Amino acid sequence: MGLRIHFVVDPHGWCCMGLIVFVWLYNIVIIPKIVLFPHYEEGHIPGILIIIFYGIAIFCLVALVRASITDPGRLPENPKIPHGEREFWELCNKCNLMRPKRSHHCSRCGHCVRRMDHHCPWINNCVGEDNHWLFLQLCFYTELLTCYALMFSFCHYYYFLPLKKRNLDTTSIEKMSNCCEEISRPRKPWQQTFSEVFGTRWKILWFIPFRQRQPLRVPYHFANHV
């Protein structure tokens, strides 16, 4: 069976989809420009992370477009009921058409949809039997892209940016006078920086909001380092 295009005329749904596309464009343009490409050029992150970011973004957009235009399982006006399956069909009291059981009438679209889950304004379409899998893919890649962008934004503002500011505030004389001292001093690893921010060295607790943050004791040789 070929791909059946389904287009819903709904200004409210268009506005919701427009907002989704705007957020996607913001992520695909601003995050690489401010975070990914500068830190790649400075050698902070490998290029494979940028490729992964764009790959997730493309998969997210494809899932959004396909979930929006794919027929969710709209029933025709005169459906052909297979012989011996009439007991699994029922009459819709809104459109007065026969439909398989577990089908529902969407008041937004004005027709019945097989195994309808709900009408989603963010894709401007019903979520039914034929596009439910695309909707789940959209949810997955949206969460993945969001977490990816938040992770790099967090690293940018709490690790890379302070490191860059520290290097910019140091004068040439200070760099020359402290070169030997900098070589001998141990450099604070990124794990230590995050441990100080979250107040614990247990990495799993960094993701748990239901706890109380406690100040972390910083080793003496790391006390004055970024």
Side-chain angles (χ1 to χ4, degrees):
M1 183 174 63
L3 177 64
R4 295 188 299 174
I5 303 299
H6 183 71
F7 187 76
V8 179
V9 181
D10 184 5
H12 177 259
W14 294 343
C15 292
C16 292
M17 275 203 65
L19 181 60
I20 292 293
V21 173
F22 172 78
V23 173
W24 182 85
L25 287 174
Y26 177 86
N27 276 277
I28 206 68
V29 174
I30 302 300
I31 297 298
K33 183 178 181 180
I34 296 180
V35 180
L36 297 181
F37 288 127
H39 293 306
Y40 169 72
E41 294 173 356
E42 294 174 5
H44 294 157
I45 60 174
I48 188 64
L49 295 181
I50 299 178
I51 298 175
I52 293 175
F53 177 83
Y54 278 107
I56 297 173
I58 291 173
F59 274 66
C60 182
L61 181 63
V62 172
L64 172 63
V65 173
R66 291 201 59 190
S68 301
I69 65 175
T70 298
D71 189 341
R74 178 179 180 177
L75 291 169
E77 294 185 359
N78 297 311
K80 295 181 179 180
I81 305 177
H83 182 70
E85 295 186 6
R86 291 184 178 274
E87 58 181 294
F88 302 109
W89 288 64
E90 61 186 6
L91 182 66
C92 175
N93 57 6
K94 294 183 179 179
C95 59
N96 293 322
L97 296 175
M98 294 298 293
R99 67 185 185 186
K101 291 183 178 180
R102 299 185 64 189
S103 300
H104 295 279
H105 186 91
C106 178
S107 58
R108 197 82 181 182
C109 299
H111 53 73
C112 290
V113 177
R114 297 191 311 272
R115 295 187 181 182
M116 176 181 170
D117 187 81
H118 67 287
H119 181 92
C120 180
W122 301 106
I123 64 173
N124 193 33
N125 199 0
C126 288
V127 178
E129 184 179 37
D130 292 341
N131 70 341
H132 201 162
W133 64 283
L134 291 167
F135 179 77
L136 293 178
Q137 284 189 359
L138 173 62
C139 293
F140 172 75
Y141 287 117
T142 299
E143 287 193 29
L144 198 60
L145 182 63
T146 302
C147 292
Y148 208 79
L150 288 176
M151 179 186 69
F152 278 109
S153 298
F154 183 87
C155 293
H156 172 71
Y157 288 106
Y158 287 93
Y159 182 73
F160 295 132
L161 199 59
L163 182 64
K164 186 176 181 179
K165 286 183 178 180
R166 177 177 179 273
N167 293 333
L168 290 176
D169 291 340
T170 305
T171 63
S172 299
I173 297 178
E174 290 172 339
K175 289 180 179 178
M176 293 176 63
S177 61
N178 295 332
C179 62
C180 296
E181 184 181 359
E182 288 294 329
I183 295 174
S184 62
R185 286 181 182 175
R187 187 181 183 86
K188 180 187 293 188
W190 66 268
Q191 296 95 331
Q192 179 68 25
T193 302
F194 278 90
S195 297
E196 294 175 15
V197 172
F198 287 101
T200 178
R201 292 185 176 88
W202 291 90
K203 296 182 178 60
I204 188 63
L205 296 180
W206 296 354
F207 304 93
I208 307 300
F210 308 103
R211 65 181 181 88
Q212 192 74 19
R213 182 187 180 276
Q214 299 293 337
L216 189 67
R217 289 179 60 86
V218 182
Y220 178 77
H221 54 276
F222 284 144
N224 296 322
H225 283 249
V226 174

